[in-house]
Amino acid sequence: MDTENFLYGFLGWLAGVLAPVITDGIKEGRRTVRVRQAIKSELHGHARRLAIAYKAVETNRGRFKRAEIEWVRGVILRHRGEDALVNALGKLLAGSDGELEALAVLSSTNNLPALRENKLPYLTSKLPTVESFQERELQALLAVVEQTEQFNSLARDAEYWGRQTFVGSDADRQRSSNNAVTSLENASRKAKDVVDEIEAYLALPEPKLA
C-alpha cells in the first residue's frame, strides 16, 4: 500500500512538473506558426513589388516581350491572384510575337526608371528570434535577405548615377548614364533572383508541430 501511495504521489508530482513545460511548448508552437504565416505574407508582397520593378526596367530598356510578360504575370498571379495588372498582361499575351516586339520598342525611353529599395522589416526583425524554425527554413530566409540587400544596393547605385547625369561635362553625364543603366539592368536580374529565393522558401514542406 505504501508503495502504491508513493507511486501515485510521484506521478502527481511529475505531472505538476511537466504540465508547465508542455503548456509552454504548445504556446511556442503556436507562436512559431503565427510568425511563419506573417513572414510568408510579407514575402508574397515582396515578390510582387520586385516583379513590378523588373517590369519597369525591362519596359524602359525595350525588352518587355513575351517571356518577360509571362514571368511578371506569373509572379503576380502566384503571389496575389487575379488583379487588373494580371488581366492587362494577359491581354498583351494575346498579341503575336511581332506585335509584342514592336510594342516593346515603342515603350522604351531614355528616361530611366527610379527603383525603390525594398525592405523586409518583419522578417529581419524576427530572424534572430526564430530558434524553433528548421535549419533549411533559416537558410532559405537568409538567402532571401541576402539577395534583397544586393538588389537594394544596386537600386541605390542606379539612383546615385541617375542624379549624376545632371552634372558635369557631356562626357561625365554620358558615363553616369551608362553606369545608371548598368545598375538598373543588374537590379532587374537580381529582382528575379530574389523572387526565385522567395519561391524556393515558400515551396518548402510545412513543418509539423511537435
Side-chain angles (χ1 to χ4, degrees):
M1 189 67 178
D2 290 340
T3 301
E4 184 177 351
N5 290 336
F6 170 78
L7 182 59
Y8 283 128
F10 174 77
L11 291 175
W13 170 83
L14 185 61
V17 170
L18 293 179
V21 176
I22 295 171
T23 301
D24 290 345
I26 293 172
K27 289 180 179 178
E28 178 61 22
R30 290 173 178 170
R31 188 190 75 86
T32 298
V33 170
R34 289 195 299 270
V35 170
R36 185 179 289 115
Q37 289 173 341
I39 287 174
K40 288 183 176 182
S41 178
E42 185 175 59
L43 290 180
H44 283 304
H46 195 47
R48 294 195 300 268
R49 290 190 296 273
L50 289 167
I52 298 302
Y54 172 86
K55 175 182 178 295
V57 176
E58 297 305 303
T59 300
N60 175 265
R61 306 315 302 157
R63 295 194 301 252
F64 198 57
K65 302 175 186 178
R66 184 172 302 279
E68 292 74 24
I69 295 170
E70 289 176 342
W71 185 82
V72 171
R73 186 175 185 274
V75 172
I76 301 298
L77 197 55
R78 289 192 297 276
H79 296 280
R80 180 170 183 167
E82 201 81 25
D83 68 359
L85 179 56
V86 167
N87 293 332
L89 294 176
K91 291 177 181 177
L92 278 181
L93 290 171
S96 68
D97 288 346
E99 290 171 333
L100 293 179
E101 289 177 6
L103 181 60
V105 172
L106 289 173
S107 300
S108 64
T109 174
N110 291 326
N111 297 322
L112 300 179
L115 294 186
R116 297 176 57 185
E117 291 186 52
N118 281 273
K119 304 291 188 179
L120 290 166
Y122 187 81
L123 172 57
T124 52
S125 70
K126 291 298 181 182
L127 266 181
T129 66
V130 287
E131 298 91 347
S132 56
F133 274 31
Q134 296 180 353
E135 183 65 24
R136 61 179 177 175
E137 283 186 275
L138 293 175
Q139 290 177 352
L141 290 173
L142 285 171
V144 172
V145 171
E146 179 183 337
Q147 295 287 337
T148 296
E149 290 174 352
Q150 293 178 22
F151 171 85
N152 287 337
S153 177
L154 291 165
R156 289 192 297 270
D157 287 346
E159 181 185 17
Y160 170 78
W161 288 115
R163 290 197 305 268
Q164 298 308 303
T165 60
F166 298 101
V167 299
S169 65
D170 289 345
D172 289 336
R173 291 197 294 272
Q174 184 59 54
R175 184 163 50 250
S176 296
S177 178
N178 292 341
N179 289 339
V181 168
T182 298
S183 296
L184 283 170
E185 292 181 340
N186 288 337
S188 179
R189 288 191 288 271
K190 185 56 63 177
K192 290 191 74 174
D193 292 342
V194 180
V195 173
D196 286 345
E197 296 291 356
I198 289 172
E199 296 192 333
Y201 168 73
L202 294 175
L204 290 175
E206 190 74 22
K208 295 180 180 179
L209 289 176

